Amino acid sequence: MKEFFKNLGRYKVSSVLNILGLAIAFASAYIILVQVNFDLGYNKCFRDGDRTFRLELRGIWGEDNTWTPYLNHQNGHLFGENDDNVESFTSMNLCSWNASLTFYDFGGSAEPQTMVVRATTGMPNAPQVMGFNLVEGDFEQMKGPGSVLLSESFATKHGLTVGNAIKLSEDYSLTVVGIFKDFPKNCDLYGLELYSGEDTAENSDPTAWSYIYYYKLISAELQEQFLDNIYQKYYERIKEAGDTFDIEELKADFPIRLTAVEDTYFASNTVSQGKTGNRTTTLTLFVIAVLIIVIAFVNFINFFMAMVPRRIRRVNTEKIFGCSTRRLRLGFVGEAMGLVALALLLAAYLVFMIAPELTGLISTSAELADNPMIALLIVAAGFVLAVVSSIYPAWYITSMPAAFVIKGSFGNSAAGRRLRYALLCFQFVISIALITCSIFIKLQHTYMMKYDMGFNKEHLLTTNLPKSINGDFSSRQTFEGMLQENPMIADVTFANGELVQQSRMGWGRGFKGEQINFQCYPVAHDFLQFMGIKLTEGRDFMVDDERADGVFIFNESARKEFNLVLGDKVSGHNDEVPVVGFCEDFKFRPLQYGVSPFAFYVFGANGWRGYEHLYVRTTPHADLEAVRKHIVDCIVKMDASVKADEIVINGFDKELGAEYRSEQELTTLITIFSLLSIAISLLGVFGLVYFETQYRRREIAVRRVHGAQISQVLGMFVGQYVKMVLIAFLFAAPVSYLIMSRWLE
């Protein structure tokens, strides 16, 4: 230890730069691996998630390469019942939503309380099938829509326990039958506070393809048998209806796949409401973490070799005075481990300092206390690499005979130069590839955000409204009038959810003797005019449609797919309603998805979903903060139970950006770590220049004596590294091209 600290003092520059490079690499790798661990562990919290499968259909929205998990209850039950391969099955929405509920008897309060609760619904047996971890209560008490489960944090916050009744109105209440442990952040049910069982007997409409089914098999190896049974059951059903094609034709026309619950995060080309990731992106981040550490240890070797001229005589002197080669080599390995230990401490400090700033870049906490296994992995990898990377320099510096030390050195040999230049070129290849990839991902993200999606997205603000405002037409009219009292608000409209999203309400409808499937988007009567979506035939929605039975406007893709004409009638939420118009195709999903059959729908007088999503178009030079305050004031004035600080108003670019969040995060992460890899590589350049100048001091002196200018001497060195960068670029360009081609796919 004493000798280690002496060497730190002797070789200050190389030691400090080595420690700094390693610390940056360790901190960067730790942060990346935290994200990688989050992604790879997504939805692993579900019990028996490896043998619980989500059933998905292909091409149901008119896109052959897209899978959807939505079924109707009839098929969902048909596929799961009377099958020896199935232990249990259920239907559940794993994507929770904000429900604004007014509680009339809640937590001992006499006054009604309106609060936003993260909720979801499904069959009563879903919590048991999916493996909710109950800390209190009994699954058997989940009987229907009146019984609910609460999260442990929600129940503790409001003083609730099993057996409590929560009144939602004078004649309807919920009974708490269980308390479940909160789900981790890398789970689709993260943040869930209330689960309510549905009465599936009431959802008997065969045209309602809005339910996601999960089947727990006795063994994961039984997937093929289960799929064969599904086809057989479905074949028998359609045969009873009079269809004549055989089962092989059915398999070709009705592709089905099973995706394990723990794999749904990485499911490819799937339209679903859960969070999705990209396995290639996750593995790319892992490779980046490894490469950054490799770059740092390449620097370590370069610095070690740079110090050979200064240390070799000392080492040989110690050998002459009796120090064994084994002890000297162990000393070098120990020195490397000491440097790594100091670098790890500095890395821990860096993580401590920057962890709070990483909230928007990675999907989970970067605190060391929250990721102990990742921290231990980095420590172990650091010490292993310290031993591996110090063996060659330790062997080399202790293996030279004294005569060789006096007469010449490996530093001036061709082999020595090739090794050093190859190591540095390797660093440059990695850095250039990372820079290139980050630039192209940024360009792609910018392209997606600025792409003309077929509607007017300029000067838009959006927010969600409480049920008291969005529930009926007259309330919306009153609220709209209040908003437009502000001259900076140009127009207002309402819809059932966001315009651009991966998935929305899917409807399967009988039409002219066939089944048609399309995505349905309930909107206010002025929505198309507000968004600038052009009609190709027919009329726009009218105010009177809001008071009648409802009408459809389909896109051109639906018209071509289903041979629709004006005046055709398609089943709405109650009865058949007319198709009054057709509109141009536009992008209602992120750009990685194609355009498929889509319908705008005005519910009419008795809609069963509210228009809870508000769109406000401001004037071009509006004071956005003042407009936001006006919107909040109007909401609170309409519903005094809503708290102003809970109202979130976003610009449309943020709403759209949420659909491309993974691309934005990847761009930022790769850019940051590209810059860090460059910084570490530059430390390597410094080490190599230091090495060269140690050996070429006499040459430099002779050149200066013979009249060489300082700029000429600098040019001699700089030229070498410019050539190295150009050579590295020749290797990095095709590597970057292959990576980006794969990513764009």
Side-chain angles (χ1 to χ4, degrees):
M1 187 64 70
K2 183 178 179 182
E3 185 66 20
F4 170 70
F5 284 108
K6 277 185 180 180
N7 285 331
L8 284 182
R10 290 191 191 107
Y11 314 116
K12 296 184 183 70
V13 174
S14 64
S15 297
V16 169
L17 292 178
N18 234 333
I19 291 170
L20 181 60
L22 288 171
I24 294 173
F26 288 142
S28 302
Y30 168 82
I31 292 163
I32 294 174
L33 290 179
V34 166
Q35 178 66 52
V36 170
N37 184 61
F38 176 91
D39 290 345
L40 295 180
Y42 203 90
N43 276 350
K44 293 293 193 295
C45 59
F46 291 113
R47 190 181 309 142
D48 301 321
D50 61 329
R51 60 185 180 96
T52 302
F53 295 90
R54 183 177 72 188
L55 191 144
E56 300 169 2
L57 312 176
R58 191 176 74 188
I60 196 169
W61 306 125
E63 295 180 52
D64 291 338
N65 64 337
T66 300
W67 297 83
T68 176
Y70 296 105
L71 299 173
N72 60 15
H73 277 309
Q74 287 70 30
N75 285 332
H77 279 70
L78 172 69
F79 298 156
E81 291 171 344
N82 303 317
D83 193 317
D84 294 337
N85 302 302
V86 179
E87 179 180 305
S88 57
F89 69 93
T90 192
S91 171
M92 180 184 179
N93 194 334
L94 289 188
C95 181
S96 59
W97 58 84
N98 288 325
S100 180
L101 302 178
T102 300
F103 299 96
Y104 290 87
D105 184 10
F106 185 80
S109 173
E111 294 295 323
Q113 297 184 52
T114 298
M115 63 178 67
V116 176
V117 180
R118 291 294 296 179
T120 194
T121 60
M123 288 169 54
N125 70 331
Q128 186 172 7
V129 174
M130 302 304 292
F132 280 48
N133 189 356
L134 285 189
V135 295
E136 187 179 349
D138 185 357
F139 286 124
E140 299 302 323
Q141 299 304 311
M142 281 293 295
K143 301 297 184 184
S147 53
V148 297
L149 301 177
L150 301 178
S151 71
E152 190 174 21
S153 60
F154 185 82
T156 301
K157 179 180 179 181
H158 298 288
L160 296 169
T161 187
V162 171
N164 287 150
I166 307 171
K167 288 186 69 175
L168 294 181
S169 65
E170 291 300 323
D171 56 359
Y172 186 73
S173 64
L174 304 174
T175 301
V176 180
V177 299
I179 310 293
F180 60 87
K181 273 195 171 296
D182 291 74
F183 286 91
K185 197 168 183 179
N186 59 341
C187 176
D188 281 334
L189 290 180
Y190 170 69
L192 178 67
E193 296 173 316
L194 183 149
Y195 179 82
S196 175
E198 294 177 337
D199 185 353
T200 54
E202 295 182 0
N203 298 317
S204 57
D205 183 0
T207 66
W209 288 61
S210 304
Y211 306 97
I212 301 177
Y213 269 79
Y214 298 90
Y215 301 89
K216 182 179 289 188
L217 305 186
I218 295 173
S219 169
E221 285 70 35
L222 297 173
Q223 295 177 63
E224 290 301 322
Q225 294 94 310
F226 177 52
L227 286 174
D228 287 341
N229 290 345
I230 288 176
Y231 281 117
Q232 187 63 41
K233 290 177 180 179
Y234 200 63
Y235 172 72
E236 291 172 0
R237 168 171 285 186
I238 60 176
K239 187 177 179 181
E240 290 175 2
D243 288 332
T244 56
F245 55 83
D246 61 33
I247 196 166
E248 293 304 320
E249 290 178 304
L250 176 64
K251 290 181 179 181
D253 295 338
F254 192 59
I256 301 174
R257 75 177 183 187
L258 298 174
T259 301
V261 172
E262 61 180 30
D263 295 331
T264 54
Y265 181 71
F266 289 124
S268 59
N269 299 328
T270 302
V271 177
S272 69
Q273 294 180 333
K275 189 173 181 180
T276 57
N278 185 297
R279 193 181 299 275
T280 301
T281 297
T282 299
L283 295 178
T284 299
L285 288 175
F286 176 77
V287 171
I288 289 173
V290 173
L291 290 178
I292 287 177
I293 291 181
V294 169
I295 287 175
F297 276 94
V298 168
N299 273 359
F300 174 85
I301 296 173
N302 275 340
F303 275 119
F304 212 114
M305 299 303 293
M307 297 310 299
V308 168
R310 296 184 59 183
R311 304 187 69 169
I312 199 165
R313 286 184 174 85
R314 183 181 181 86
V315 168
N316 278 275
T317 301
E318 290 178 351
K319 287 171 67 176
I320 290 170
F321 282 94
C323 187
S324 68
T325 301
R326 180 174 177 274
R327 182 174 178 181
L328 287 170
R329 289 174 178 172
L330 288 175
F332 284 119
V333 174
E335 181 179 332
M337 296 183 70
L339 290 171
V340 166
L342 293 177
L344 287 167
L345 291 174
L346 179 57
Y349 176 75
L350 292 175
V351 170
F352 172 76
M353 293 298 294
I354 66 175
E357 308 300 324
L358 296 174
T359 306
L361 294 181
I362 62 175
S363 304
T364 187
S365 167
E367 299 288 348
L368 291 169
D370 297 327
N371 303 279
M373 296 308 296
I374 302 297
L376 288 174
L377 177 63
I378 293 292
V379 170
F383 283 119
V384 169
L385 286 173
V387 173
V388 172
S389 61
S390 62
I391 288 175
Y392 172 73
W395 171 84
Y396 167 70
I397 202 170
T398 57
S399 63
M400 292 184 186
F404 187 62
V405 174
I406 295 170
K407 292 179 180 179
S409 80
F410 181 74
N412 287 325
S413 69
R417 286 195 300 272
R418 282 197 297 268
L419 173 63
R420 298 193 302 276
Y421 291 163
L423 291 174
L424 193 59
C425 276
F426 174 71
Q427 291 178 308
F428 282 152
V429 168
I430 295 172
S431 298
I432 292 170
L434 288 174
I435 294 168
T436 306
C437 291
S438 66
I439 290 172
F440 274 91
I441 293 173
K442 175 62 177 174
L443 288 173
Q444 179 70 3
H445 181 263
T446 302
Y447 171 82
M448 291 187 292
M449 290 296 293
K450 293 184 177 181
Y451 184 84
D452 182 2
M453 303 186 75
F455 57 87
N456 183 2
K457 54 187 179 181
E458 299 297 321
H459 313 299
L460 287 183
L461 296 176
T462 74
T463 190
N464 286 323
L465 299 172
K467 190 174 182 179
S468 56
I469 298 175
N470 71 62
D472 62 83
F473 180 55
S474 61
S475 295
R476 294 198 306 274
Q477 280 190 311
T478 302
F479 180 64
E480 182 176 348
M482 294 169 60
L483 289 175
Q484 292 190 328
E485 291 175 1
N486 189 319
M488 291 184 289
I489 292 180
D491 204 357
V492 177
T493 194
F494 307 85
N496 177 234
E498 300 167 358
L499 174 59
V500 180
Q501 51 185 308
Q502 285 190 34
S503 177
R504 67 191 77 247
M505 182 167 57
W507 277 6
R509 294 292 188 262
F511 178 70
K512 296 180 179 179
E514 295 183 358
Q515 176 84 8
I516 64 173
N517 298 287
F518 56 92
Q519 291 199 34
C520 184
Y521 186 41
V523 296
H525 71 278
D526 56 356
F527 188 87
L528 275 74
Q529 182 179 355
F530 177 94
M531 287 294 179
I533 297 173
K534 296 178 181 179
L535 293 176
T536 55
E537 188 179 1
R539 69 168 176 86
D540 200 348
F541 296 124
M542 300 186 301
V543 175
D544 288 344
D545 294 329
E546 299 263 16
R547 305 187 183 97
D549 296 326
V551 292
F552 282 112
I553 292 178
F554 281 88
N555 68 352
E556 282 294 319
S557 290
R559 171 152 72 167
K560 294 172 185 175
E561 181 81 16
F562 309 137
N563 295 316
L564 292 165
V565 297
L566 291 176
D568 278 340
K569 289 193 173 184
V570 178
S571 295
H573 65 293
N574 287 323
D575 298 314
E576 288 189 338
V577 296
V579 178
V580 299
F582 298 99
C583 67
E584 292 182 343
D585 285 334
F586 68 98
K587 294 289 187 180
F588 55 87
R589 288 192 290 176
L591 296 188
Q592 58 262 45
Y593 301 99
V595 176
S596 58
F598 178 92
F600 290 105
Y601 180 50
V602 169
F603 268 121
N606 301 302
W608 48 269
R609 286 195 180 196
Y611 297 137
E612 79 280 0
H613 204 66
L614 170 71
Y615 284 105
V616 173
R617 192 178 306 281
T618 66
T619 55
H621 304 292
D623 181 345
L624 295 183
E625 288 308 312
V627 174
R628 282 186 169 93
K629 184 178 184 306
H630 178 69
I631 296 171
V632 170
D633 291 343
C634 290
I635 293 174
V636 172
K637 191 178 293 184
M638 284 284 292
D639 188 341
S641 65
V642 179
K643 297 178 182 178
D645 58 358
E646 294 180 352
I647 301 172
V648 179
I649 300 174
N650 293 317
F652 185 78
D653 57 341
K654 186 170 183 179
E655 179 175 298
L656 179 61
E659 299 297 325
Y660 302 119
R661 184 180 176 187
S662 61
E663 286 83 3
Q664 177 62 47
E665 290 176 350
L666 181 61
T667 302
T668 305
L669 284 172
I670 291 183
T671 301
I672 289 173
F673 296 121
S674 296
L675 294 174
L676 290 176
S677 72
I678 293 167
I680 297 170
S681 296
L682 289 177
L683 295 178
V685 173
F686 184 89
L688 195 53
V689 172
Y690 188 71
F691 180 89
E692 292 285 340
T693 53
Q694 289 291 312
Y695 278 108
R696 301 177 69 177
R697 283 178 295 178
R698 289 195 179 98
E699 178 190 343
I700 294 169
V702 171
R703 287 177 180 273
R704 290 286 286 140
V705 167
H706 284 81
Q709 300 296 316
I710 293 176
S711 59
Q712 292 176 309
V713 176
L714 291 176
M716 179 180 67
F717 282 98
V718 170
Q720 292 177 340
Y721 301 113
V722 170
K723 290 177 184 177
M724 292 170 63
V725 170
L726 292 176
I727 293 171
F729 178 78
L730 293 177
F731 285 97
V735 171
S736 304
Y737 176 81
L738 291 173
I739 294 172
M740 282 296 93
S741 296
R742 175 61 180 155
W743 182 78
L744 287 171
E745 288 176 4

